[in-house]
Amino acid sequence: MRHLLLASLLLTALPVLALDAGDSAPKVSVQRLSEPGVAQTLGEFKGKVVFVDFWASWCGPCRKSLPMLAQLQNDLTDRDFVLVGVNIDDDPQLGRDFLQAIASAGVHLSDPEGKLSDAFGVKGMPTSYLLDRSGTIRWVHEGFAPADMTEIRSRIEAQLQTP
């Protein structure tokens, strides 16, 4: 039902305070999708370039982006880069099933209550945030089309070159 709530929020005229470039990533703890009971924060990835991608199993563009992002993670596996997917499905098993079907890479978190997505101010699926090594947001990307991968890779590569 979280996706229905998110959809209804998108249709309302209420302003949503979304984080943007220059803001620090929130310090919210959520469970790992593949390891229920194991909590994780984004702060645990300090020192790495992090691409945080909010997704859901019911999201058509997410179904296209996640395999491409997994390939990007595999391409950059020997660099200080980590893909952090944040699944917002009400039932985490839907997210686990989807990831198993696409053999995804990276770290995936489960956010069925919306703690992390609310802290970021996510307005739609998918929404991604590129974090620098200190945990500062450097770029926000909403939506997805396959052609977006060129810019996503370019921005990640630029951050990887920055100490």
Side-chain angles (χ1 to χ4, degrees):
M1 291 302 122
R2 173 127 174 89
H3 63 278
L4 292 176
L5 176 61
L6 184 60
S8 68
L9 287 174
L10 291 172
L11 297 174
T12 65
L14 297 175
V16 176
L17 299 175
L19 295 182
D20 206 351
D23 293 330
S24 293
K27 296 172 174 66
V28 175
S29 177
V30 294
Q31 306 287 314
R32 281 182 163 243
L33 187 59
S34 62
E35 301 172 79
V38 177
Q40 181 124 41
T41 66
L42 294 175
E44 294 176 53
F45 299 109
K46 279 206 174 167
K48 296 184 180 276
V49 173
V50 181
F51 192 75
V52 181
D53 183 59
F54 287 88
W55 64 276
S57 64
W58 46 263
C59 165
C62 301
R63 290 180 164 273
K64 292 179 183 173
S65 68
L66 281 170
M68 295 176 130
L69 292 172
Q71 182 59 52
L72 181 62
Q73 173 66 66
N74 291 334
D75 291 350
L76 300 175
T77 197
D78 61 339
R79 311 226 359 232
D80 286 334
F81 171 74
V82 64
L83 165 66
V84 177
V86 182
N87 175 256
I88 66 155
D89 282 311
D90 291 335
D91 178 358
Q93 188 60 46
L94 295 171
R96 285 191 285 274
D97 291 345
F98 176 67
L99 289 180
Q100 187 174 21
I102 66 164
S104 184
V107 174
H108 290 272
L109 306 176
S110 179
D111 190 28
E113 294 90 26
K115 294 189 305 185
L116 191 55
S117 59
D118 289 348
F120 269 92
V122 173
K123 297 180 231 172
M125 291 291 116
T127 298
S128 304
Y129 298 81
L130 178 60
L131 309 181
D132 67 15
R133 297 174 193 278
S134 69
T136 300
I137 299 168
R138 292 296 167 204
W139 182 59
V140 179
H141 182 71
E142 295 178 337
F144 182 79
D148 296 344
M149 286 305 297
T150 301
E151 183 174 14
I152 290 169
R153 180 181 284 272
S154 174
R155 288 183 179 265
I156 291 169
E157 290 282 354
Q159 282 304 309
L160 286 169
Q161 293 176 18
T162 304

